Amino acid sequence: FPKLGDNIQIQKDKIQLYSNQVFVTDAVENIVPDFLTLLRGVIDSPDIPLNVSRSYLQADASVKKISGHITKKVADKLEELFKADRKDFEAKWDDLKVFVQYGMLSEEKFYERAVKFNLLKNTAGICYTFDELTEKIKPTQTDKNNKQVYLYTNNPTDQHVFVEKALEKGYEVLVMDSPIDAHFIDFIERKNTDATFVRVDADTIDKLINKEDALPSKLSEAEQNELKPMIEGVLPANKFTVVFESLSETDQPMQITNPEFMRRMKEMQAMGGGAMAGFYGNMPEIYNLVVNSNHPLINKAVHEKDEAKKKEMLKQSSDLALLSQNLLKGEELTKFIKRSYELILN
């Protein structure tokens, strides 16, 4: 199991086929399953014919049996390691993860075996099998439609504010940062129809796991309609949709969220997704700016008579939301820093 970079490159010529210790070929693609071509090693069998064409090898019944057998042997060995010393297996998991996930995606028989030892790691470094995690989160992460919601982050540092909100609620947050995780998540959801995976910054915390009806709003519809174009006016054009939500007063006045479906399709397309992933993957990045209609600052902005001061309040709040998602850059970031110092001085 060699170490892999962030981008999976199928490393050919790393597995060699031998017949009774006589070299046959190192071009094993289409002879063994794709995910096994990521491994390095030797297959030696008396059933592999010598001096024949590659097309003959691909069609030969004995070679096809070897393909199934070596898949089983890899699964057997991994399961044996998992059962014999789980702590050691968990320590090696980061190096095994992509191989196991790719195998589960590629081969149904491998999936049936690997689901027992495939691990999901949370932000605290604790590992669970899918069944173990499902049992643990059932009391807290089941929504009002009786679906289990698995929260994850692909970058605990960049998404720290969202991770913290989830942890404060007592939720488990998984780290899903491998290059094929978008495909793997989609695959697991299709295998388990009562499960849904959502990244922590896909929505506000109460909507990520929707358990009850929203709080009443302190802003009327007319007040929201009055405020909305002013907020849109201080945001970068054509990239953000402004939405109002009735959240707790202690939640942030504004948050940037990145809707799960569109973002996941783009990630799948980047790793070579299907037709649907390709269609959505070519669309521009879209974010929601969620305005907390119950926050005192938003209430203050609604009733502020000085238009210049109102705009400054909204601009500062939206810039803070952009900053939390690393979306405030260049000139706008410079202006924000300057404005922040002026506000402190005043």
Side-chain angles (χ1 to χ4, degrees), residues 125-186:
I126 300 170
C127 294
Y128 303 96
T129 65
F130 184 76
D131 286 345
E132 289 168 351
L133 181 64
T134 299
E135 194 61 32
K136 181 172 176 57
I137 70 172
K138 193 178 291 182
T140 54
Q141 292 178 224
T142 302
D143 67 13
K144 62 183 182 181
N145 298 317
N146 213 34
K147 271 204 166 192
Q148 297 227 217
V149 182
Y150 300 78
L151 302 179
Y152 71 95
T153 173
N154 69 336
N155 191 320
T157 302
D158 286 355
Q159 294 150 18
H160 183 266
V161 65
F162 297 94
V163 171
E164 281 301 299
K165 281 287 183 184
L167 295 178
E168 285 169 11
K169 288 273 191 180
Y171 298 154
E172 292 281 334
V173 180
L174 303 172
V175 179
M176 308 289 283
D177 57 358
S178 91
I180 61 170
D181 264 327
H183 285 282
F184 186 70
I185 287 166
D186 196 64

Side-chain angles (χ1 to χ4, degrees), residues 41-276:
V42 171
I43 300 172
D44 192 359
S45 168
D47 299 317
I48 297 175
L50 294 170
N51 301 320
V52 292
S53 68
R54 188 159 160 251
S55 59
Y56 177 88
L57 275 174
Q58 291 170 6
D60 184 74
S62 296
V63 173
K64 288 182 178 178
K65 285 181 182 178
I66 290 169
S67 173
H69 180 69
I70 197 67
T71 300
K72 180 179 180 299
K73 292 289 283 185
V74 170
D76 285 346
K77 186 62 179 178
L78 288 170
E79 187 173 3
E80 177 190 323
L81 292 169
F82 174 72
K83 289 179 176 178
D85 190 343
R86 176 161 173 170
K87 187 174 181 181
D88 185 60
F89 187 84
E90 289 179 358
K92 295 179 170 70
W93 179 245
D94 288 343
D95 292 328
L96 298 174
K97 178 180 174 180
V98 173
F99 295 100
V100 174
Q101 287 182 346
Y102 188 20
M104 292 171 77
L105 287 167
S106 307
E107 296 285 326
E108 181 64 25
K109 287 184 178 179
F110 186 80
Y111 164 81
E112 290 169 0
R113 300 290 300 279
V115 74
K116 301 171 189 173
F117 55 78
N118 177 68
L119 296 177
L120 300 166
K121 185 185 289 189
N122 71 9
T123 51
I126 300 170
C127 294
Y128 303 96
T129 65
F130 184 76
D131 286 345
E132 289 168 351
L133 181 64
T134 299
E135 194 61 32
K136 181 172 176 57
I137 70 172
K138 193 178 291 182
T140 54
Q141 292 178 224
T142 302
D143 67 13
K144 62 183 182 181
N145 298 317
N146 213 34
K147 271 204 166 192
Q148 297 227 217
V149 182
Y150 300 78
L151 302 179
Y152 71 95
T153 173
N154 69 336
N155 191 320
T157 302
D158 286 355
Q159 294 150 18
H160 183 266
V161 65
F162 297 94
V163 171
E164 281 301 299
K165 281 287 183 184
L167 295 178
E168 285 169 11
K169 288 273 191 180
Y171 298 154
E172 292 281 334
V173 180
L174 303 172
V175 179
M176 308 289 283
D177 57 358
S178 91
I180 61 170
D181 264 327
H183 285 282
F184 186 70
I185 287 166
D186 196 64
F187 175 76
I188 294 297
E189 285 178 338
R190 283 185 275 115
K191 287 284 187 182
N192 303 271
T193 54
D194 288 333
T196 181
F197 282 75
V198 188
R199 205 169 80 180
V200 285
D201 64 341
D203 212 328
T204 57
I205 188 64
D206 289 331
K207 291 191 74 176
L208 287 174
I209 306 176
N210 203 347
K211 296 182 179 181
E212 53 194 28
D213 295 331
L215 295 167
S217 175
K218 291 186 176 181
L219 295 189
S220 67
E221 189 174 343
E223 288 172 328
Q224 292 180 22
N225 290 336
E226 178 191 343
L227 210 56
K228 187 174 181 180
M230 293 192 70
I231 297 170
E232 290 172 338
V234 299
L235 289 169
N238 305 320
K239 198 172 182 178
F240 297 90
T241 302
V242 176
V243 293
F244 285 81
E245 287 188 15
S246 305
L247 307 174
S248 166
E249 289 185 10
T250 58
D251 284 322
Q252 295 174 34
M254 294 185 187
Q255 299 177 48
I256 302 291
T257 61
N258 195 353
E260 178 74 16
F261 179 76
M262 290 285 287
R263 179 193 48 73
R264 194 192 297 181
M265 289 298 109
K266 290 181 74 68
E267 289 173 355
M268 289 173 67
Q269 191 268 343
M271 276 300 296
M276 182 174 286

Side-chain angles (χ1 to χ4, degrees), residues 319-330:
D319 279 357
L320 283 166
L322 290 167
L323 194 64
S324 72
Q325 279 281 43
N326 200 30
L327 295 171
L328 193 65
K329 300 178 185 294

